[in-house]
Amino acid sequence: MSRAPNCEVTIIGAGPYGLSAAAYLRAARVEIRVFGEPMSFWENQMPAGMCLRSNWLASHIAAPSQMLTLDEYCRENGNHVPRPIPLERFVDYGHWYQKRAVPNLEKCPVRSVGIDPCGFKVILENGEEFTSRRVIVAAGISNFATKPAEFDAIPSALASHSSKHNDLRKFKGQNVVVIGAGQSALESAALLKEAGIQVEVIGRQKAINWVGLHPRMHHLGIISKMLYSTRDVGPAGISRLVASPTLFGALPRKLQDRTAYRAIRPAGAGWLQPRVKDVSITLGRKVVSATATASQLRLRLDDGTERLVDHALLATGFRVDISRYSFLSEPLLEQVQTANGYPVLKRGLESSIPGLHFLGKPAAWSFGPLLGFVSGAEFASNELVRSISGKQKLTR
Ligand SMILES: Cc1cc2nc3c(=O)[nH]c(=O)nc-3n(C[C@H](O)[C@H](O)[C@H](O)COP(=O)(O)OP(=O)(O)OC[C@H]3O[C@@H](n4cnc5c(N)ncnc54)[C@H](O)[C@@H]3O)c2cc1C
């Protein structure tokens, strides 16, 4: 018989998903250890001055009994949070949530997770080693930043992914091109322009998709309720489907893929429109080559035109590939069934290795695009509790 593990459940990550999972499991009296810098991705890898695209109701970090909502945060602190929600206020809300729900959070990063006869062997950056019956990976998307191959050989001083910056004012005095035409690209361009920095946006799509241009659609009583879920992911109708992850995951794969793309295709929030009206935006164009000169970057587009810029900011998104979670050991990764880099998950967001769960965007292959957003944490946490509490013995 294998010995008992040192710990029941280890949670890796202290963003909205890790914190929410910890709050629910604690309330269900499951013994947990939680690791990570609270809200670090939001604090360090998004630009200061940014606002959330998701609306108020979709930005609560789920907790049992709705005790830790944004409304509660405002009430307790006697303050007002404007809408759209400013990034720094959301980060502060996350820290407030962590102190109340997960006071025993350990900030030390996890260095490695491997398979062990009694579950998993976890090694921390500080050298501590222990065994855990279950591991919940809620480590976010920062490892998955993706950029076009044309920029592979360009030094980061001349071209960098948007998630590498938390203060765009560092580009003061430079001439910047933003690649992409989604929320991150458009909002970065607005922030650069507002800081007096010369900027051009270059995107492949032929037109910008704006969302939220018709707010009255959300105030039509029962009709709005039928069309839109409060989870706020996707357009009318699709929003409702995406809000039921178990149903979504049961659809034929082709339909899932089409619907997921329609729900989260690159788009800008309507409130950004006036802020980018004076930004030069080139659409329907692709960068075909990028060459570093002595101190600048020469870009050639597919219409034959060129740009000589000081920096290219690549707002080109994230592609899930769990092998890029460097803390997952090779032998463990070999046993996780994957599809397109995503782990294939069953109920409880459990992978093909019993006791190994994935939350957040990596769960989107199995449960749809909701899992890439804060508003998917309630589903994820409830699934975990249902599958873990009262069933702590695993069969391998
Ligand atoms: C520019 C931008 C804007 C966005 N705006 C919105 C929005 O308005 N609304 C919305 O719902 N979503 C938005 N998103 C998506 C957002 O990233 C996710 O909703 C959210 O971060 C998911 O939370 P998470 O807990 O999965 O990951 P994260 O918030 O990324 O948290 C990951 C956690 O894992 C920890 N971690 C990582 N590796 C380790 C390790 N080895 N050991 C210990 N801890 C580790 C980190 O420290 C961190 O605490 C946006 C994304 C971007 C890029």
Side-chain angles (χ1 to χ4, degrees):
M1 259 211 358
S2 62
R3 66 207 144 81
N6 309 126
C7 167
E8 277 304 323
V9 176
T10 298
I11 299 178
I12 304 173
Y17 276 84
L19 293 176
S20 175
Y24 276 80
L25 290 172
R26 249 185 108 204
R29 303 200 181 289
V30 176
E31 188 225 331
I32 51 171
R33 284 184 78 175
V34 192
F35 298 92
E37 274 295 331
M39 303 300 285
S40 62
F41 182 64
W42 297 80
E43 207 160 356
N44 306 325
Q45 298 188 256
M46 295 190 196
M50 181 197 113
C51 289
L52 268 65
R53 202 181 97 178
S54 54
N55 69 27
W56 186 264
L57 285 178
S59 304
H60 303 304
I61 303 176
S65 325
Q66 305 296 308
M67 289 299 287
L68 298 172
T69 60
L70 276 161
D71 300 292
E72 202 48 47
Y73 161 74
C74 290
R75 229 183 330 269
E76 195 175 305
N77 294 291
N79 58 21
H80 169 74
V81 175
R83 298 157 202 216
I85 303 166
L87 172 64
E88 65 272 19
R89 303 304 301 278
F90 185 68
V91 169
D92 190 59
Y93 162 60
H95 284 283
W96 172 87
Y97 180 111
Q98 178 262 309
K99 287 188 193 102
R100 271 147 198 81
V102 201
N104 53 349
L105 173 73
E106 299 174 67
K107 292 188 179 169
C108 185
V110 170
R111 185 193 300 161
S112 84
V113 177
I115 294 184
D116 181 270
C118 60
F120 301 91
K121 181 171 176 180
V122 181
I123 305 178
L124 304 182
E125 280 301 343
N126 65 12
E128 184 192 341
E129 297 184 10
F130 61 94
T131 53
S132 183
R133 200 183 299 278
R134 290 179 188 268
V135 167
I136 295 170
V137 179
I141 54 174
S142 75
N143 293 48
F144 306 144
T146 176
K147 55 184 188 179
E150 289 74 21
F151 293 90
D152 276 353
I154 304 298
S156 59
L158 293 177
S160 56
H161 193 269
S162 51
S163 65
K164 299 288 177 223
H165 304 280
N166 64 1
D167 187 357
L168 298 178
R169 288 169 307 180
K170 70 171 76 149
F171 294 113
K172 199 102 196 159
Q174 298 193 21
N175 169 10
V176 178
V177 73
V178 177
I179 308 294
Q183 176 76 4
S184 180
L186 296 168
E187 193 161 20
S188 297
L191 291 167
L192 288 162
K193 181 87 185 171
E194 286 157 4
I197 296 162
Q198 199 182 326
V199 57
E200 176 184 3
V201 173
I202 298 176
R204 278 185 310 186
Q205 60 205 57
K206 292 209 161 52
I208 292 175
N209 301 306
W210 294 106
V211 294
L213 289 180
H214 308 289
R216 66 179 180 286
M217 289 294 288
H218 293 269
H219 299 284
L220 300 176
I222 185 84
I223 296 175
S224 302
K225 281 208 170 92
M226 283 164 61
L227 294 176
Y228 295 100
S229 155
T230 52
R231 304 295 185 210
D232 196 25
V233 177
I238 286 179
S239 164
R240 278 264 152 227
L241 181 58
V242 165
S244 301
T246 315
L247 174 64
F248 190 93
L251 297 174
R253 172 52 56 188
K254 267 194 179 154
L255 183 56
Q256 282 189 48
D257 291 347
R258 267 208 310 270
T259 316
Y261 176 75
R262 183 61 189 85
I264 56 167
R265 66 182 181 176
W271 47 260
L272 266 177
Q273 250 185 355
R275 292 177 55 195
V276 294
K277 73 175 188 330
D278 295 327
V279 172
S280 159
I281 301 181
T282 303
L283 293 171
R285 290 287 158 241
K286 186 178 167 345
V287 173
V288 289
S289 75
T291 320
T293 67
S295 62
Q296 286 190 303
L297 184 62
R298 187 181 303 282
L299 302 177
R300 202 157 60 78
L301 309 194
D302 56 358
D303 60 356
T305 60
E306 287 195 344
R307 308 286 190 278
L308 191 61
V309 296
D310 297 308
H311 198 88
L313 188 66
L314 310 173
T316 42
F318 300 83
R319 186 176 306 126
V320 173
D321 175 0
I322 58 162
S323 68
R324 288 166 77 175
Y325 280 146
S326 55
F327 55 86
L328 296 179
S329 73
E330 277 297 323
L332 180 143
L333 279 167
E334 276 165 21
Q335 288 189 37
V336 183
Q337 189 196 342
T338 58
N340 270 359
Y342 290 79
V344 176
L345 306 177
K346 54 186 180 194
R347 294 298 301 261
L349 281 67
E350 193 170 23
S351 69
S352 52
I353 301 184
L356 180 66
H357 305 250
F358 288 86
L359 309 188
K361 182 86 171 166
W365 177 268
S366 304
F367 292 99
L370 180 69
L371 277 294
F373 294 85
V374 175
S375 59
E378 184 175 11
F379 166 78
S381 298
N382 274 316
E383 279 289 306
L384 278 177
V385 169
R386 199 172 300 130
S387 94
I388 293 179
S389 68
K391 193 186 104 180
Q392 295 186 11
K393 211 161 166 46
L394 288 167
T395 40
R396 282 251 159 94

